[in-house]
């Protein structure tokens, strides 16, 4: 009962924070009237381009999972990724919640526990490392123009350090059974926290399970990591493509905001979205991206319009498709297994 109250309180605080951003902070940057005017001026050609970008972003979400689980058909992979993303958008919890939901959906799709745990761990690590490295890449690109602020450089440096830590832990776990045991025990503690948050039973695995999984899957990972890397990049960078289209659709030129600065703002937004601050990062992601772009000197009303357009194109279709995918997943889970 107490844990449920804490969960409700965290959710309420997250919603309150998001509301405060949109009610109090964003209107101080640009009036919603001017933002609506900019959005209303988006041409049909740009709308079509944004729709194509959104479709590409949705379709590519299945690719990293198929790289690790080639036996998983495309449509079930697409359905469970959209469903888990939609629920992560509605519930506070960030990346750990998304990984827990993905594991549950894979089990529903009759992926055995070992394969499911391996897929969730590997795709989660690959995704999070890239998300943490993007700000450093963006900072280097912006630094070449001499326009990098100290605060932005600090964010990029901190995220890069976190990414390096994750890479180091992963390499250690792959090279040493002792390191894998320690990492598995830590992961089990995090999984237990997420389980309490969702009012579920704690995970039935720990360090020894990761040691066994390491021995079983190490050869498989060595064979598939190039495909997983390419698939993860393809999936994540389609979102950046949508962001670029959003910026140009509202009239921000390359001269006003070059791609290097746009990429850094997008990368900072990606880092913020992985933190369990508000449901789906709503409010804080927009504020981080808007603040970065305004700091680069882009016009305020254009920036707010572009960021809101981007977030709408990225979040709303996935939310709709993910919620529609939930009954499909239930049917897939209840369907009789095919004979081997």
């Amino acid at each position: 009962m107490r844990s449920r109250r804490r969960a409700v309180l965290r959710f309420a605080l997250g919603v309150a924070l998001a509301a405060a951003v949109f009610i109090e902070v964003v209107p101080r940057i640009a009036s919603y009237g001017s933002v609506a005017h900019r959005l209303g001026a988006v041409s049909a050609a740009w709308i079509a381009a944004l729709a194509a970008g959104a479709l590409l972003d949705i379709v590519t979400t299945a690719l990293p999972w198929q790289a690790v689980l080639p036996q998983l058909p495309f449509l079930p992979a697409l359905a469970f990724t959209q469903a888990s993303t939609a629920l992560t958008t509605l519930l506070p919890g960030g990346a750990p919640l998304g990984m827990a939901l993905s594991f549950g959906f894979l089990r529903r799709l009759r992926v055995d526990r070992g394969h499911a745990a391996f897929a969730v761990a590997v795709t989660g690590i690959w995704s999070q490392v890239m998300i943490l490295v993007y700000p450093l890449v963006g900072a280097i690109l912006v630094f070449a123009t001499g326009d990098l602020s100290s605060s932005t450089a600090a964010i990029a440096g901190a995220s890069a350090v976190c990414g390096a830590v994750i890479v180091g832990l992963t390499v250690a776990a792959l090279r040493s059974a002792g390191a894998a045991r320690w990492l598995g025990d830590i992961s089990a503690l995090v999984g237990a926290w997420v389980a309490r948050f969702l009012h579920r039973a704690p995970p039935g695995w720990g360090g020894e399970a990761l040691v066994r999984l390491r021995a079983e899957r190490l050869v498989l990972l060595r064979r598939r990591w190039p495909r997983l890397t390419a698939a993860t990049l393809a999936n994540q960078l389609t979102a950046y493509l949508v962001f670029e289209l959003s910026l140009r659709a509202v009239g921000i030129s390359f001269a006003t905001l070059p791609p290097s600065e746009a990429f850094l703002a997008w990368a900072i937004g990606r880092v913020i979205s992985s933190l369990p601050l508000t449901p789906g990062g709503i409010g804080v992601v927009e504020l981080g991206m808007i603040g970065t772009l305004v700091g680069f000197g882009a016009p305020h009303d254009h920036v707010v319009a572009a960021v809101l357009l981007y977030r709408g194109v990225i979040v709303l279709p996935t939310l709709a498709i993910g919620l529609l995918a939930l009954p499909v997943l239930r049917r897939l889970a209840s369907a009789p297994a095919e004979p081997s």
Side-chain angles (χ1 to χ4, degrees), residues 137-163:
V137 175
I140 292 171
L141 294 174
V142 173
F143 181 74
T145 67
D147 294 329
L148 185 65
S149 67
S150 57
S151 60
T152 305
I155 293 173
S159 65
V161 168
C162 293

Side-chain angles (χ1 to χ4, degrees), residues 129 132-133 158-170:
V129 166
L132 292 169
V133 168
S159 65
V161 168
C162 293
V165 169
I166 295 175
V167 170
L169 290 174
T170 304

Side-chain angles (χ1 to χ4, degrees), residues 12 16 21 27 48 61 71 82 91 96 100 137 140 142 177 180 211 231 242 248-249 268-269 281-282 291 311 326:
V21 168
T61 57
Q71 74 273 22
Q82 294 299 295
L91 300 170
V137 175
I140 292 171
V142 173
V211 170
V242 174
R248 312 313 166 190
I268 290 174
I282 295 173
R311 289 286 284 166
L326 288 173

